[in-house]
Amino acid sequence: MPIPAILDCDTGHDDAMAILLAGRTLDLRGVTTVHGNAPVENTTVNTCKILELARLAHVPVAAGAARPLKRRLSHAPGVHGATGMDGPDLPAPSIRPVGESAAGFIARMAAEVDGLRLIATGPLTNIAEALAAGSGALESRIAGVSLMGGAIGQGNASAVAEFNIWADPDAADLVFRGAAPVRMVGLNVTRQVAATPDRRRRIRALGTRTAVAVADLLDYFSDRLQRRYGLPGASMHDPLAVSAVADPDVLRFEPMKVDIELRGEHTYGMTVCDHRHLSPDAAGMVRQRDPLEPPNAEVAVAVDAERFWTRFIDVVATYP
Ligand code: RIB
Ligand code: CA
């Protein structure tokens, strides 16, 4: 029985991949949109474009927060372009978002759907607003929050902070302190899953309208990430947050305490992951028998990239 889920996106190139993967591997009850890669107006239009392209127009879209809870608004035009999803010129969508806010839609679906998962691939503003408005009642209804965000180690928005967390760290802090179980899929694993030229060729060779659009989106995103980070191709950040629910064996998780840095001058927005109880992965590190504090998240520490790609390309092949 497919798992019921809501995807919360700042659609962007990799969010689009997450939508397509969720559309075939989960019981996708809706997509909510949030500021992030681009203004929420853009991320909403981009979401509608992808749903229409894939013939998923039956999935409701609810537009959400235009700005973070407290900090100033930031976007990522250097990576995703001014529209948030530059590259192919996809048709303007005919579908429109519902009148309900993202937070209201999440709260209503949580009340109506047993075992609902929230999968966040952008800043966590909508999730935090929904959880705060619903107080404990909503959190007790949510089976879990799977989020692409944070990192054990290097960041991208700064030396130590990953964009989705950095763009609204106060929202992230509320989510990680909340009662809903959290699975964190960070840069330390997502950057190991690259849309290499060969993988993009295999997708383009499928020849369908959706496959060609996916290849075009991945070509654009790969070019940006190759220039900026020397990566062999676009990192499949967001679809891995879907895999964490739909195909958890793609990832290996470890329980650990995760704190969000809200005050550091140089570390603002960092996910401080206490992994001292894990096997040392560098010289001089130790394996502390007990974590200092009880874990509040399952954090991805390893990924089976080939397993992910086999499933992802099979899914793309099912779209028109
Ligand atoms: O840091 C990567 C994350 O930031 C991805 O979700 C990407 O879409 C951007 O939102
Ligand atoms: Ca995203």
Side-chain angles (χ1 to χ4, degrees):
M1 187 73 170
I3 297 170
I6 289 176
L7 212 47
D8 186 70
C9 302
D10 63 335
T11 310
H13 299 77
D14 50 336
D15 305 76
M17 307 303 138
I19 292 169
L20 294 174
L21 186 60
R24 288 286 190 268
T25 60
L26 295 170
D27 175 7
L28 185 58
R29 296 298 184 97
V31 183
T32 50
T33 59
V34 68
H35 66 87
N37 288 325
V40 68
E41 295 75 15
N42 294 73
T43 64
T44 303
V45 167
N46 295 340
T47 296
C48 293
K49 283 184 177 180
I50 295 300
L51 290 171
E52 199 151 281
L53 171 80
R55 296 279 192 276
L56 293 173
H58 60 283
V59 177
V61 176
R67 58 182 317 100
L69 295 183
K70 293 180 184 171
R71 63 154 288 166
R72 62 175 173 74
L73 181 60
S74 302
H75 298 312
V79 177
H80 295 277
T83 68
M85 201 168 73
D86 281 16
D89 185 15
L90 299 180
S94 60
I95 59 176
R96 294 285 181 270
V98 298
E100 209 168 7
S101 70
F105 180 83
I106 291 168
R108 180 169 62 84
M109 296 308 286
E112 293 175 7
V113 180
D114 292 334
L116 184 69
R117 304 289 186 92
L118 303 183
I119 301 174
T121 63
L124 292 163
T125 315
N126 291 337
I127 309 295
E129 287 183 346
L131 295 180
S135 70
L138 190 141
E139 284 191 303
S140 63
R141 294 281 302 162
I142 300 291
V145 178
S146 171
L147 62 95
M148 190 281 141
I152 298 176
Q154 255 188 10
N156 55 7
S158 77
V160 294
E162 179 279 326
F163 177 81
N164 287 341
I165 306 298
W166 175 86
D168 194 345
D170 302 285
D173 187 51
L174 287 172
V175 172
F176 277 89
R177 289 176 184 276
V182 171
R183 281 199 151 182
M184 175 183 131
V185 181
L187 295 175
N188 52 294
V189 293
T190 62
R191 279 175 165 164
Q192 298 180 52
V193 187
T196 59
D198 176 60
R199 287 164 174 159
R200 283 179 267 145
R201 271 192 296 275
R202 286 163 58 195
I203 290 172
R204 189 175 295 279
L206 294 170
T208 62
R209 190 184 45 167
T210 302
V212 169
V214 167
D216 288 345
L217 287 166
L218 289 177
D219 281 349
Y220 179 93
F221 194 28
S222 295
D223 177 63
R224 289 297 176 105
L225 295 192
Q226 280 165 321
R227 290 169 191 259
R228 181 168 290 205
Y229 302 115
L231 287 169
S235 306
M236 298 302 270
H237 302 301
D238 294 338
L240 281 164
V242 174
S243 298
V245 178
D247 186 8
D249 290 345
V250 164
L251 295 152
R252 180 163 64 83
F253 291 90
E254 290 285 356
M256 61 182 83
K257 180 66 180 341
V258 178
D259 291 302
I260 308 299
E261 179 54 63
L262 297 177
R263 287 187 291 277
E265 180 184 352
H266 306 292
T267 55
Y268 180 80
M270 178 179 182
T271 50
V272 182
C273 301
D274 188 350
H275 53 104
R276 288 173 289 178
H277 56 302
L278 301 183
S279 303
D281 54 11
M285 294 178 77
V286 297
R287 181 171 183 176
Q288 186 167 318
R289 285 285 167 258
D290 301 304
L292 289 178
E293 293 179 78
N296 62 339
E298 292 277 307
V299 177
V301 295
V303 62
D304 182 341
E306 208 42 56
R307 180 184 176 115
F308 168 82
W309 276 107
T310 301
R311 185 81 181 274
F312 181 73
I313 294 176
D314 286 349
V315 161
V316 173
T318 69
Y319 285 108

